[in-house]
Amino acid sequence: MRNILANLFKICLVLFLFGGTCLVIGQLGGLLLQNGDMVIKTWDLFANPTFAISAVGGIIGFILGYFPEEVTEKVDLYSSEEYCEQVENVR
């Protein structure tokens, strides 16, 4: 379940960043070309989907915080023979 949510979060993140980039570039282009209709149409086209995707991604990210990460084998740093020898020599 965590992997599915993590993948959905990554997809939402990419889509949100793409939509935000298109929104900014379109509005910047409208400003540079002094075309007010382009600024408004860019907002109408990209704003709502981008904000919706970011909200869904935020909710998924919040839910992911409740799933523990997969635990890999922990390496015991103090189990080596070299460390044991050093400890014995100190005594």
Side-chain angles (χ1 to χ4, degrees):
M1 184 67 167
R2 178 175 170 72
N3 289 336
I4 294 170
L5 287 174
N7 288 332
L8 286 174
F9 177 76
K10 291 174 188 175
I11 290 169
C12 286
L13 182 64
V14 169
L15 291 175
F16 164 65
L17 291 174
F18 178 73
T21 302
C22 291
L23 181 63
V24 170
I25 289 174
Q27 288 189 332
L28 183 61
L31 286 173
L32 293 175
L33 297 174
Q34 297 179 354
N35 186 348
D37 289 336
M38 183 177 176
V39 173
I40 293 170
K41 287 181 183 178
T42 301
W43 177 264
D44 291 340
L45 183 63
F46 291 110
N48 287 335
T50 301
F51 298 152
I53 291 170
S54 69
V56 170
I59 291 169
I60 292 172
F62 180 77
I63 293 171
L64 272 174
Y66 287 100
F67 284 92
E69 291 187 31
E70 295 176 3
V71 179
T72 58
E73 286 187 31
K74 292 184 179 180
V75 178
D76 187 10
L77 298 175
Y78 304 111
S79 66
S80 70
E81 292 177 16
E82 179 181 324
Y83 179 78
C84 293
E85 290 174 4
Q86 290 176 358
V87 171
E88 288 176 5
N89 292 337
V90 171
R91 294 181 194 167

Coordinates of all heavy atoms in Angstrom, one line a residue:
M1 N 0.8 -1.2 0.0 CA 0.0 0.0 0.0 C 0.9 1.3 0.0 O 0.6 2.2 -0.7 CB -0.9 0.0 1.2 CG -1.9 1.1 1.3 SD -3.1 1.0 0.0 CE -4.3 2.1 0.5
R2 N 2.0 1.2 0.8 CA 2.9 2.4 0.8 C 3.5 2.7 -0.5 O 3.6 3.8 -0.9 CB 4.0 2.1 1.9 CG 4.9 3.3 1.9 CD 5.9 3.2 3.1 NE 7.0 4.1 3.0 CZ 6.9 5.4 3.3 NH1 5.7 5.9 3.6 NH2 7.9 6.2 3.2
N3 N 3.8 1.6 -1.3 CA 4.5 1.8 -2.6 C 3.5 2.4 -3.5 O 3.9 3.3 -4.4 CB 5.0 0.5 -3.1 CG 6.2 0.0 -2.4 OD1 6.9 0.8 -1.8 ND2 6.4 -1.3 -2.4
I4 N 2.2 2.0 -3.5 CA 1.2 2.6 -4.4 C 1.0 4.1 -4.1 O 1.0 4.9 -5.0 CB -0.1 1.8 -4.2 CG1 0.0 0.4 -4.7 CG2 -1.2 2.6 -4.9 CD1 -1.2 -0.5 -4.4
L5 N 0.9 4.4 -2.8 CA 0.7 5.8 -2.4 C 2.0 6.6 -2.7 O 1.8 7.8 -3.2 CB 0.4 5.9 -0.9 CG -0.9 5.5 -0.4 CD1 -1.1 5.5 1.1 CD2 -2.0 6.3 -1.1
A6 N 3.2 6.1 -2.6 CA 4.4 6.8 -2.9 C 4.4 7.1 -4.4 O 4.8 8.2 -4.8 CB 5.6 6.0 -2.4
N7 N 4.0 6.1 -5.2 CA 4.0 6.3 -6.6 C 3.0 7.4 -7.0 O 3.3 8.2 -7.9 CB 3.8 5.0 -7.4 CG 5.0 4.1 -7.3 OD1 6.2 4.6 -7.2 ND2 4.8 2.8 -7.4
L8 N 1.8 7.3 -6.4 CA 0.8 8.3 -6.7 C 1.3 9.7 -6.3 O 1.0 10.7 -7.0 CB -0.5 8.0 -6.0 CG -1.3 6.8 -6.5 CD1 -2.5 6.5 -5.6 CD2 -1.8 7.2 -7.9
F9 N 2.0 9.8 -5.2 CA 2.5 11.1 -4.7 C 3.5 11.6 -5.7 O 3.5 12.8 -6.0 CB 3.2 10.9 -3.3 CG 3.8 12.2 -2.8 CD1 3.0 13.2 -2.4 CD2 5.2 12.4 -2.9 CE1 3.6 14.4 -1.9 CE2 5.8 13.5 -2.4 CZ 5.0 14.5 -1.9
K10 N 4.4 10.8 -6.2 CA 5.4 11.2 -7.2 C 4.7 11.7 -8.5 O 5.1 12.7 -9.1 CB 6.4 10.1 -7.5 CG 7.3 9.7 -6.4 CD 8.1 8.5 -6.6 CE 8.9 8.1 -5.4 NZ 9.6 6.8 -5.7
I11 N 3.7 11.0 -8.9 CA 3.0 11.4 -10.1 C 2.3 12.7 -9.9 O 2.4 13.6 -10.8 CB 1.9 10.3 -10.5 CG1 2.6 9.1 -11.0 CG2 1.0 10.8 -11.6 CD1 1.7 7.9 -11.2
C12 N 1.7 12.9 -8.8 CA 1.0 14.2 -8.4 C 2.1 15.3 -8.4 O 1.8 16.4 -8.8 CB 0.3 14.1 -7.1 SG -1.3 13.2 -7.2
L13 N 3.2 15.0 -7.8 CA 4.3 16.0 -7.7 C 4.7 16.5 -9.1 O 4.9 17.7 -9.4 CB 5.4 15.5 -6.9 CG 6.6 16.4 -6.7 CD1 6.2 17.6 -5.8 CD2 7.7 15.7 -6.0
V14 N 5.0 15.5 -10.0 CA 5.4 15.9 -11.3 C 4.3 16.7 -12.1 O 4.6 17.7 -12.7 CB 5.8 14.6 -12.1 CG1 6.0 14.9 -13.6 CG2 7.0 13.9 -11.5
L15 N 3.1 16.2 -12.0 CA 2.0 16.9 -12.7 C 1.8 18.3 -12.1 O 1.6 19.3 -12.8 CB 0.7 16.1 -12.6 CG 0.7 14.8 -13.4 CD1 -0.6 14.1 -13.1 CD2 0.8 15.1 -14.8
F16 N 1.9 18.5 -10.8 CA 1.8 19.8 -10.2 C 2.9 20.7 -10.6 O 2.6 21.9 -10.9 CB 1.8 19.6 -8.6 CG 2.0 20.9 -7.9 CD1 1.1 21.9 -8.0 CD2 3.1 21.1 -7.1 CE1 1.3 23.1 -7.3 CE2 3.3 22.2 -6.4 CZ 2.4 23.3 -6.5
L17 N 4.1 20.2 -10.6 CA 5.2 21.1 -11.0 C 5.1 21.4 -12.5 O 5.4 22.6 -12.9 CB 6.6 20.4 -10.8 CG 6.9 20.2 -9.3 CD1 8.2 19.4 -9.2 CD2 7.1 21.6 -8.7
F18 N 4.7 20.5 -13.3 CA 4.5 20.8 -14.8 C 3.4 21.8 -15.0 O 3.5 22.8 -15.7 CB 4.1 19.5 -15.5 CG 3.9 19.7 -17.0 CD1 4.9 20.0 -17.8 CD2 2.6 19.7 -17.5 CE1 4.7 20.2 -19.2 CE2 2.3 19.9 -18.8 CZ 3.4 20.2 -19.7
G19 N 2.2 21.7 -14.3 CA 1.1 22.6 -14.4 C 1.5 24.0 -13.9 O 1.2 25.0 -14.5
G20 N 2.3 24.1 -12.8 CA 2.7 25.3 -12.2 C 3.7 26.0 -13.2 O 3.6 27.2 -13.4
T21 N 4.6 25.3 -13.8 CA 5.5 25.8 -14.7 C 4.8 26.4 -16.0 O 5.1 27.5 -16.4 CB 6.5 24.7 -15.2 OG1 7.2 24.3 -14.0 CG2 7.5 25.3 -16.1
C22 N 3.8 25.6 -16.5 CA 3.0 26.1 -17.6 C 2.3 27.4 -17.3 O 2.2 28.3 -18.1 CB 2.1 25.0 -18.1 SG 2.9 23.6 -18.9
L23 N 1.7 27.4 -16.1 CA 1.0 28.6 -15.6 C 1.9 29.8 -15.6 O 1.5 30.9 -16.1 CB 0.4 28.3 -14.3 CG -0.5 29.4 -13.6 CD1 -1.7 29.7 -14.4 CD2 -0.9 29.0 -12.2
V24 N 3.0 29.7 -15.0 CA 3.9 30.8 -14.8 C 4.5 31.2 -16.2 O 4.5 32.4 -16.5 CB 5.1 30.5 -13.9 CG1 6.2 31.5 -13.9 CG2 4.5 30.3 -12.5
I25 N 4.9 30.3 -17.0 CA 5.5 30.6 -18.3 C 4.4 31.3 -19.2 O 4.7 32.3 -19.9 CB 6.1 29.4 -19.0 CG1 7.3 29.0 -18.3 CG2 6.4 29.7 -20.5 CD1 8.0 27.7 -18.7
G26 N 3.2 30.8 -19.2 CA 2.1 31.3 -20.0 C 1.8 32.8 -19.5 O 1.6 33.7 -20.4
Q27 N 1.7 33.0 -18.2 CA 1.4 34.3 -17.8 C 2.6 35.3 -18.0 O 2.4 36.4 -18.3 CB 1.0 34.3 -16.3 CG -0.3 33.7 -16.1 CD -0.8 33.9 -14.7 OE1 0.0 33.9 -13.7 NE2 -2.1 33.9 -14.5
L28 N 3.8 34.8 -17.9 CA 5.0 35.6 -18.1 C 5.0 36.0 -19.6 O 5.3 37.1 -20.0 CB 6.2 34.9 -17.7 CG 7.6 35.6 -17.9 CD1 7.6 36.9 -17.0 CD2 8.7 34.7 -17.6
G29 N 4.7 35.0 -20.5 CA 4.6 35.3 -21.9 C 3.6 36.4 -22.2 O 3.8 37.2 -23.1
G30 N 2.4 36.2 -21.6 CA 1.4 37.2 -21.8 C 1.8 38.6 -21.3 O 1.4 39.6 -22.0
L31 N 2.5 38.7 -20.2 CA 3.0 40.0 -19.8 C 4.0 40.6 -20.7 O 4.0 41.8 -21.0 CB 3.6 39.8 -18.4 CG 2.7 39.7 -17.2 CD1 3.4 39.4 -15.9 CD2 1.8 40.9 -17.0
L32 N 5.0 39.7 -21.2 CA 6.0 40.2 -22.1 C 5.4 40.7 -23.4 O 5.9 41.6 -24.0 CB 7.1 39.2 -22.3 CG 7.9 38.8 -21.1 CD1 8.9 37.7 -21.4 CD2 8.7 40.1 -20.6
L33 N 4.4 39.9 -23.9 CA 3.7 40.3 -25.2 C 2.6 41.4 -25.0 O 2.0 41.8 -25.9 CB 3.1 39.1 -25.8 CG 4.1 38.0 -26.2 CD1 3.4 36.7 -26.7 CD2 5.1 38.5 -27.3
Q34 N 2.4 41.8 -23.7 CA 1.4 42.7 -23.4 C 0.0 42.2 -23.9 O -0.7 43.0 -24.5 CB 1.7 44.1 -23.9 CG 2.9 44.7 -23.2 CD 3.3 46.0 -23.7 OE1 2.7 46.6 -24.6 NE2 4.3 46.6 -23.1
N35 N -0.3 41.0 -23.7 CA -1.5 40.4 -24.1 C -2.3 39.9 -22.9 O -2.0 38.8 -22.4 CB -1.2 39.2 -25.1 CG -2.4 38.6 -25.7 OD1 -3.5 38.9 -25.3 ND2 -2.2 37.7 -26.7
G36 N -3.2 40.7 -22.5 CA -4.0 40.4 -21.3 C -4.9 39.2 -21.5 O -5.1 38.4 -20.5
D37 N -5.4 38.9 -22.7 CA -6.2 37.7 -22.9 C -5.4 36.4 -22.7 O -5.9 35.4 -22.2 CB -6.8 37.7 -24.3 CG -7.9 38.8 -24.5 OD1 -8.5 39.1 -23.5 OD2 -8.1 39.2 -25.7
M38 N -4.1 36.5 -23.1 CA -3.2 35.3 -22.9 C -3.1 35.0 -21.4 O -3.1 33.9 -21.0 CB -1.9 35.5 -23.6 CG -1.0 34.4 -23.5 SD 0.5 34.7 -24.4 CE 1.5 33.3 -24.1
V39 N -2.9 36.1 -20.6 CA -2.7 35.9 -19.1 C -4.0 35.3 -18.6 O -3.9 34.3 -17.8 CB -2.4 37.2 -18.5 CG1 -2.4 37.1 -17.0 CG2 -1.1 37.8 -19.0
I40 N -5.1 35.8 -18.9 CA -6.4 35.3 -18.4 C -6.7 33.8 -18.9 O -7.1 33.0 -18.1 CB -7.6 36.2 -18.8 CG1 -7.4 37.5 -18.1 CG2 -8.9 35.6 -18.4 CD1 -8.3 38.6 -18.6
K41 N -6.4 33.6 -20.1 CA -6.7 32.2 -20.7 C -5.7 31.2 -20.1 O -6.1 30.0 -19.8 CB -6.6 32.2 -22.2 CG -7.7 32.9 -22.9 CD -7.6 32.9 -24.4 CE -8.8 33.6 -25.0 NZ -8.7 33.7 -26.4
T42 N -4.5 31.6 -19.8 CA -3.5 30.7 -19.2 C -4.0 30.4 -17.8 O -3.9 29.2 -17.4 CB -2.1 31.4 -19.1 OG1 -1.7 31.7 -20.4 CG2 -1.1 30.5 -18.4
W43 N -4.5 31.4 -17.0 CA -5.0 31.1 -15.7 C -6.2 30.2 -15.8 O -6.3 29.2 -15.0 CB -5.4 32.5 -15.0 CG -6.0 32.3 -13.7 CD1 -7.4 32.2 -13.4 CD2 -5.4 32.1 -12.5 NE1 -7.5 32.0 -12.1 CE2 -6.3 31.9 -11.5 CE3 -4.0 32.0 -12.1 CZ2 -6.0 31.7 -10.1 CZ3 -3.7 31.8 -10.8 CH2 -4.7 31.7 -9.8
D44 N -7.1 30.4 -16.7 CA -8.3 29.6 -16.8 C -8.0 28.2 -17.2 O -8.6 27.2 -16.7 CB -9.3 30.2 -17.9 CG -9.9 31.5 -17.4 OD1 -9.9 31.7 -16.2 OD2 -10.4 32.2 -18.3
L45 N -6.9 28.0 -18.0 CA -6.6 26.7 -18.5 C -5.8 25.8 -17.4 O -6.1 24.7 -17.2 CB -5.7 26.8 -19.7 CG -5.3 25.5 -20.4 CD1 -6.6 24.7 -20.9 CD2 -4.4 25.8 -21.6
F46 N -4.9 26.5 -16.7 CA -4.0 25.7 -15.9 C -4.2 25.8 -14.4 O -3.8 25.0 -13.6 CB -2.5 26.1 -16.1 CG -2.0 25.7 -17.4 CD1 -1.7 26.7 -18.4 CD2 -1.8 24.4 -17.7 CE1 -1.3 26.3 -19.7 CE2 -1.3 24.0 -19.0 CZ -1.0 25.0 -19.9
A47 N -4.9 26.8 -13.9 CA -5.0 27.1 -12.4 C -5.8 26.0 -11.7 O -5.2 25.4 -10.8 CB -5.6 28.5 -12.2
N48 N -7.0 25.7 -12.1 CA -7.8 24.8 -11.3 C -7.2 23.4 -11.3 O -7.2 22.7 -10.3 CB -9.2 24.8 -11.8 CG -10.0 26.0 -11.3 OD1 -9.6 26.7 -10.4 ND2 -11.0 26.4 -12.1
P49 N -6.8 22.8 -12.5 CA -6.2 21.5 -12.5 C -4.9 21.4 -11.6 O -4.7 20.4 -10.9 CB -5.9 21.2 -13.9 CG -6.8 22.1 -14.7 CD -7.0 23.3 -13.9
T50 N -4.1 22.4 -11.7 CA -2.9 22.5 -11.0 C -3.1 22.5 -9.5 O -2.5 21.8 -8.7 CB -2.0 23.7 -11.4 OG1 -1.7 23.6 -12.8 CG2 -0.7 23.7 -10.6
F51 N -4.1 23.3 -9.0 CA -4.4 23.4 -7.6 C -5.0 22.1 -7.1 O -4.8 21.7 -6.0 CB -5.3 24.6 -7.3 CG -4.6 25.9 -7.7 CD1 -5.4 27.0 -8.0 CD2 -3.3 26.1 -7.7 CE1 -4.9 28.2 -8.3 CE2 -2.7 27.3 -8.0 CZ -3.5 28.4 -8.3
A52 N -5.9 21.5 -7.9 CA -6.5 20.3 -7.5 C -5.5 19.1 -7.4 O -5.5 18.4 -6.4 CB -7.6 19.9 -8.5
I53 N -4.6 19.1 -8.3 CA -3.5 18.0 -8.2 C -2.6 18.3 -7.0 O -2.2 17.3 -6.3 CB -2.7 18.0 -9.6 CG1 -3.6 17.5 -10.7 CG2 -1.5 17.1 -9.4 CD1 -3.0 17.6 -12.1
S54 N -2.3 19.5 -6.7 CA -1.5 19.8 -5.6 C -2.2 19.4 -4.3 O -1.6 18.9 -3.3 CB -1.0 21.2 -5.5 OG -2.1 22.1 -5.3
A55 N -3.5 19.6 -4.2 CA -4.3 19.3 -3.0 C -4.3 17.8 -2.8 O -4.1 17.3 -1.7 CB -5.7 19.8 -3.1
V56 N -4.5 17.0 -3.9 CA -4.5 15.6 -3.9 C -3.1 15.1 -3.4 O -3.0 14.2 -2.6 CB -4.9 14.9 -5.2 CG1 -4.7 13.4 -5.2 CG2 -6.4 15.3 -5.5
G57 N -2.1 15.6 -4.0 CA -0.7 15.2 -3.6 C -0.4 15.5 -2.2 O 0.3 14.8 -1.5
G58 N -0.9 16.7 -1.7 CA -0.7 17.0 -0.3 C -1.4 16.0 0.7 O -0.8 15.6 1.7
I59 N -2.6 15.6 0.3 CA -3.3 14.7 1.1 C -2.6 13.3 1.1 O -2.5 12.7 2.1 CB -4.8 14.5 0.6 CG1 -5.5 15.8 0.9 CG2 -5.5 13.3 1.3 CD1 -6.9 15.9 0.3
I60 N -2.2 12.9 -0.1 CA -1.4 11.6 -0.2 C -0.1 11.7 0.6 O 0.2 10.7 1.3 CB -1.1 11.3 -1.6 CG1 -2.4 10.9 -2.4 CG2 -0.2 10.1 -1.7 CD1 -2.3 10.7 -3.9
G61 N 0.6 12.8 0.6 CA 1.8 13.0 1.4 C 1.5 12.9 2.9 O 2.3 12.4 3.6
F62 N 0.4 13.5 3.3 CA 0.0 13.5 4.7 C -0.3 12.0 5.1 O 0.1 11.6 6.2 CB -1.2 14.3 4.9 CG -1.7 14.4 6.3 CD1 -1.0 15.1 7.3 CD2 -2.8 13.7 6.7 CE1 -1.5 15.2 8.6 CE2 -3.3 13.7 8.0 CZ -2.6 14.4 8.9
I63 N -1.0 11.3 4.3 CA -1.3 9.9 4.6 C 0.0 9.0 4.6 O 0.1 8.1 5.5 CB -2.3 9.3 3.6 CG1 -3.7 10.0 3.7 CG2 -2.5 7.8 3.7 CD1 -4.7 9.7 2.6
L64 N 0.9 9.3 3.8 CA 2.2 8.6 3.7 C 2.9 8.7 5.1 O 3.7 7.8 5.4 CB 3.1 9.1 2.6 CG 2.9 8.4 1.3 CD1 3.7 9.1 0.2 CD2 3.2 6.9 1.3
G65 N 2.7 9.8 5.8 CA 3.4 9.9 7.1 C 2.9 8.9 8.1 O 3.6 8.6 9.1
Y66 N 1.8 8.3 7.9 CA 1.3 7.3 8.8 C 1.7 5.9 8.5 O 1.4 5.0 9.2 CB -0.3 7.4 8.9 CG -0.7 8.6 9.6 CD1 -1.2 9.7 8.9 CD2 -0.7 8.6 11.0 CE1 -1.6 10.9 9.6 CE2 -1.1 9.7 11.7 CZ -1.5 10.9 11.0 OH -1.9 12.0 11.7
F67 N 2.3 5.7 7.3 CA 2.8 4.4 7.0 C 4.3 4.3 7.3 O 5.1 5.1 6.8 CB 2.6 4.1 5.5 CG 1.2 3.8 5.1 CD1 0.3 4.8 4.7 CD2 0.7 2.5 5.1 CE1 -1.0 4.5 4.4 CE2 -0.6 2.2 4.8 CZ -1.4 3.2 4.4
P68 N 4.7 3.3 8.1 CA 6.1 3.2 8.4 C 6.9 2.8 7.2 O 6.5 2.1 6.3 CB 6.2 2.2 9.5 CG 5.0 1.3 9.2 CD 3.9 2.3 8.7
E69 N 8.2 3.3 7.1 CA 9.0 3.0 6.0 C 9.4 1.5 6.2 O 9.5 1.0 7.3 CB 10.3 3.8 6.0 CG 10.0 5.3 5.6 CD 11.3 6.1 5.5 OE1 12.3 5.5 5.1 OE2 11.2 7.3 5.8
E70 N 9.7 0.9 5.0 CA 10.1 -0.5 5.1 C 11.5 -0.6 5.8 O 12.4 0.1 5.4 CB 10.2 -1.1 3.7 CG 8.8 -1.2 3.0 CD 8.9 -1.6 1.6 OE1 10.0 -2.0 1.1 OE2 7.9 -1.7 0.9
V71 N 11.6 -1.4 6.7 CA 12.8 -1.6 7.5 C 13.7 -2.6 6.8 O 13.3 -3.7 6.6 CB 12.5 -2.0 9.0 CG1 13.8 -2.1 9.7 CG2 11.6 -1.0 9.6
T72 N 14.9 -2.2 6.5 CA 15.9 -3.1 6.0 C 16.7 -3.6 7.1 O 16.6 -3.1 8.3 CB 16.8 -2.4 5.0 OG1 17.5 -1.3 5.6 CG2 16.0 -1.9 3.8
E73 N 17.5 -4.6 6.9 CA 18.3 -5.2 7.9 C 19.3 -4.1 8.5 O 20.0 -3.5 7.7 CB 19.1 -6.4 7.4 CG 18.3 -7.6 7.2 CD 19.2 -8.8 6.8 OE1 20.3 -8.9 7.3 OE2 18.7 -9.6 6.1
K74 N 19.3 -4.0 9.8 CA 20.2 -3.0 10.4 C 21.5 -3.7 10.6 O 21.5 -4.9 11.1 CB 19.6 -2.5 11.7 CG 18.4 -1.6 11.5 CD 18.0 -1.0 12.8 CE 16.8 -0.1 12.6 NZ 16.3 0.5 13.8
V75 N 22.6 -3.1 10.3 CA 23.9 -3.6 10.5 C 24.3 -3.2 11.9 O 24.3 -2.1 12.3 CB 24.9 -3.1 9.5 CG1 26.3 -3.6 9.7 CG2 24.4 -3.5 8.1
D76 N 24.7 -4.2 12.7 CA 25.2 -4.0 14.0 C 26.7 -3.5 13.9 O 27.5 -4.3 13.6 CB 25.0 -5.2 14.9 CG 25.4 -4.9 16.3 OD1 25.5 -3.7 16.7 OD2 25.4 -5.9 17.1
L77 N 26.9 -2.3 14.2 CA 28.3 -1.8 14.0 C 29.2 -2.3 15.1 O 30.4 -2.3 14.9 CB 28.2 -0.2 14.2 CG 27.4 0.5 13.1 CD1 27.4 2.0 13.5 CD2 28.0 0.3 11.7
Y78 N 28.7 -2.8 16.2 CA 29.6 -3.3 17.3 C 29.7 -4.8 17.3 O 30.2 -5.3 18.3 CB 29.0 -2.8 18.6 CG 28.8 -1.3 18.6 CD1 27.6 -0.7 18.6 CD2 29.9 -0.5 18.6 CE1 27.4 0.7 18.6 CE2 29.8 0.9 18.5 CZ 28.5 1.5 18.6 OH 28.4 2.8 18.5
S79 N 29.3 -5.5 16.3 CA 29.4 -6.9 16.3 C 30.7 -7.5 15.6 O 30.9 -8.6 15.6 CB 28.2 -7.6 15.6 OG 28.2 -7.2 14.2
S80 N 31.5 -6.6 15.1 CA 32.7 -7.1 14.5 C 33.7 -7.6 15.5 O 33.8 -7.1 16.6 CB 33.3 -6.0 13.6 OG 33.9 -5.0 14.4
E81 N 34.5 -8.5 15.1 CA 35.5 -9.0 16.0 C 36.6 -8.0 16.3 O 37.1 -8.0 17.4 CB 36.2 -10.2 15.3 CG 35.2 -11.4 15.2 CD 35.9 -12.6 14.4 OE1 37.1 -12.6 14.3 OE2 35.2 -13.5 14.0
E82 N 36.8 -7.1 15.4 CA 37.9 -6.1 15.6 C 37.4 -5.2 16.8 O 38.2 -4.8 17.6 CB 38.0 -5.2 14.3 CG 39.0 -4.1 14.4 CD 39.1 -3.4 13.2 OE1 39.0 -4.0 12.1 OE2 39.3 -2.1 13.2
Y83 N 36.2 -4.8 16.8 CA 35.7 -4.0 17.9 C 35.8 -4.7 19.2 O 36.2 -4.1 20.2 CB 34.3 -3.5 17.6 CG 33.7 -2.6 18.7 CD1 34.1 -1.3 18.8 CD2 32.8 -3.2 19.7 CE1 33.6 -0.5 19.8 CE2 32.3 -2.4 20.7 CZ 32.7 -1.0 20.8 OH 32.2 -0.3 21.8
C84 N 35.4 -6.0 19.2 CA 35.5 -6.8 20.5 C 36.9 -6.9 21.0 O 37.1 -6.8 22.2 CB 34.9 -8.2 20.2 SG 33.1 -8.1 19.9
E85 N 37.9 -7.0 20.1 CA 39.3 -7.1 20.5 C 39.7 -5.8 21.1 O 40.4 -5.8 22.1 CB 40.1 -7.5 19.3 CG 40.0 -8.9 18.8 CD 40.7 -9.2 17.6 OE1 41.5 -8.3 17.1 OE2 40.6 -10.3 17.0
Q86 N 39.3 -4.7 20.6 CA 39.7 -3.4 21.1 C 39.1 -3.2 22.5 O 39.8 -2.7 23.4 CB 39.2 -2.3 20.2 CG 40.0 -2.2 18.9 CD 39.4 -1.1 18.0 OE1 38.4 -0.5 18.3 NE2 40.0 -1.0 16.8
V87 N 37.9 -3.6 22.7 CA 37.2 -3.5 24.0 C 38.0 -4.4 25.0 O 38.2 -4.0 26.2 CB 35.7 -3.8 23.9 CG1 35.1 -3.9 25.3 CG2 35.0 -2.8 23.1
E88 N 38.3 -5.6 24.6 CA 39.0 -6.5 25.6 C 40.4 -6.0 25.9 O 40.8 -6.1 27.1 CB 39.1 -7.9 24.9 CG 37.8 -8.6 24.8 CD 37.9 -9.9 24.1 OE1 39.0 -10.3 23.8 OE2 36.9 -10.6 23.9
N89 N 41.1 -5.3 25.0 CA 42.4 -4.8 25.3 C 42.3 -3.6 26.2 O 43.3 -3.3 26.9 CB 43.1 -4.4 24.0 CG 43.4 -5.6 23.1 OD1 43.6 -6.7 23.6 ND2 43.6 -5.4 21.8
V90 N 41.2 -2.9 26.3 CA 41.1 -1.7 27.1 C 40.9 -2.2 28.6 O 41.5 -1.6 29.5 CB 39.8 -0.9 26.7 CG1 39.6 0.2 27.7 CG2 40.1 -0.3 25.4
R91 N 40.3 -3.3 28.8 CA 40.1 -3.8 30.1 C 41.4 -4.3 30.7 O 42.0 -4.2 31.5 CB 39.1 -5.0 30.1 CG 37.7 -4.6 29.7 CD 36.8 -5.8 29.7 NE 35.6 -5.4 29.0 CZ 34.7 -6.2 28.6 NH1 34.9 -7.5 28.9 NH2 33.6 -5.9 28.0

